[in-house]
Amino acid sequence: MKNSIAERIADFLKNHPPFCSLSLADLIVISKESQVLHLEKKQVLFNINDQPHPFFYIVKDGAVALSVVYDTEKVLIDECDEGDIVGLRPFFAKDAYLMTAEASEESLLYAIPIAIFKPYVFENAEVSSFLLESFASNTRNPYDKENKGKLISESVSYNERDDTIQYFKPISYTPNPVTASRTDSVKSIAETMTRRKIGSVIIQENQLPIGIITDKDLRSKIATGLFTIESNAEQIMSTPVITVRANGSVAETQLIMLQHHIGHLCVTTDGSSESEIMGIISEHDVVVAQANNPGVLVKQIKRAESALELKTVRDNLTKLIKNALSEDIPIAHICQIVGEINRAITTRAIELSIIKIGEHPPVPFAWLNIGSQGRKEQLLLTDQDNALVFEDVAEERYDIVQKYFLLLADNVTHVLNVVGYEFCPAGMMASNPLWCKSLKEWNAQYNTWIHSPAEKGILMCSIFFDYDFVYGDKVLVDAITANIFKNIKDNQIFFAYLGSDSLKNPPPLGFFRQFLVEKDGEHKNTFDVKSRGLMPLIDAARLLSLDREITDVNNTLSRFRELAALEPQNAAIYEACSDAFSVLLKFRTEEGFASGSGGRYLDLNKLTKLDKVKLKNAFHPIHDVQEILKTRFQLTYFT
């Protein structure tokens, strides 16, 4: 008699690794012993410190969140979707779970018996390799050529260099760990561990690691009566000590722990047991390193049902940015990750707003982020700048169509305000009728800016040349882009006025290389890093990119890279501009976090001598690139 439930389970498993490496006959055998598990939303599958189940699980429908408690806060580590495996720990370690697994929504899981499945792991190298790699790196599918090791799954992807922000960044370790000698008593070591609230002590001889005693050793060897509390460290220590170098990655560290079935690694100067002890890494350190990763944040965004839930994600993003800065992750990588997460937040805000209105958009439309959001350079919670374009409609329908989109935009901007993005003081938002209009009107607006570039118009329009498509119909945005480049081609007056505006902030150093600071007002004697440092580079990159017809590249760093490739004769200047922009943006971001502000004004008295030198060196490329602007666009008479 056929077992229809087993057949349905097998039919599902065969489409997902590692089960796809097994024969259908084997899958039927496994499925007959498997169970179907239904979880209500918020129902816990297992908790931290629970003893391992005799099953591991694969998500059939719904989602399961994995979390830890860190500094008394619940921290989401990952969310497992359809086809993802949950609870692999019993395969590789016999101690308790390190995370809590809880249904994010109503979910259906298949529980696979470990005893039944384990023989297939040993017999099939592909299965065992998949499980080990997946568990070590937290990569949902390490065999996926498209998404292997990517930080953000589904619709968001990055190049491999961005992996440094997550699992391939150096693991943090605890320096100067507590040590003891081989002749010290276990009692004294246990008392030290209790007093210092630590889970391990390294046994050393001449500063070299010869063993380690952990909580596990005390439980398994002392509490069981195998040895007395008066025994020497040498009698119960685990040896040899597994040692690693200081700059090992998160994934590499976890893989070593899994391979040796241990929870602690000793860090030494050269990574061997023959060199001096530097620190210790615990399994807890690995878990913490995986918290607040971008992939989890994007999954949280997609499931958010309110503005407050999106705010929680943005708060966690702030932690990610701070951690990345402290680890010296390149600012370009941080901008790319943050830009995509900001875009995902806006996308979800639009989706929630459409649901709230209860009516689908009457015609196709596109939402644009502009300014720093459009350039993906908004690392701090500064004000929002956005716009909306909708498909051309008959005149008699225009008012009612625009009314819908103004209502939509008003909802979206209010959601973003709750998230933490202040309303634009100048009203440059899609909720303003000036910036919410049809394609025909947008093209007419750009044509006015381009062909009648009075000074006021240039000041107003420059921000609108930094736009990023976020949501809707990209065809509308492409039409605007095509119209712009058609109208600026060989338009000397436009480039002259825009160029003149780009030169309004010369290099910010006076005589004797003194910083030009604010002379009066609220920010007297501070340095305006935005206007005097960042904006000259942003303006130059924008102008030169428009001149060279560089499309779909709006980030300042990316623009300078494109320019360097197109103009080898100026490559050194453009590369220097890119480096300078990175330095200045990092200064602004760190100041913003330190002062709880937009980071625009720096108190020079609080900077070290080295920081002041870095700032001054970042100003040289401003002079050089502005000389290129003056020559190329014949700006002598405008300056």
Side-chain angles (χ1 to χ4, degrees), residues 12-24:
F12 176 80
L13 295 179
K14 71 181 182 182
N15 296 313
H16 301 282
F19 306 100
C20 55
S21 299
L22 300 175
S23 68
L24 184 58

Side-chain angles (χ1 to χ4, degrees), residues 418-436:
V418 172
V419 170
Y421 297 104
E422 296 292 334
F423 294 117
C424 176
M428 291 185 181
M429 298 182 295
S431 54
N432 183 337
L434 288 173
W435 317 125
C436 174

Side-chain angles (χ1 to χ4, degrees), residues 237-268:
M237 68 183 185
S238 297
T239 187
V241 183
I242 306 301
T243 56
V244 294
R245 54 196 171 88
N247 59 345
S249 70
V250 174
E252 178 187 13
T253 300
Q254 190 171 29
L255 188 57
I256 293 171
M257 287 181 173
L258 291 171
Q259 290 171 334
H260 293 278
H261 303 286
I262 55 176
H264 296 81
L265 297 173
C266 179
V267 180
T268 61

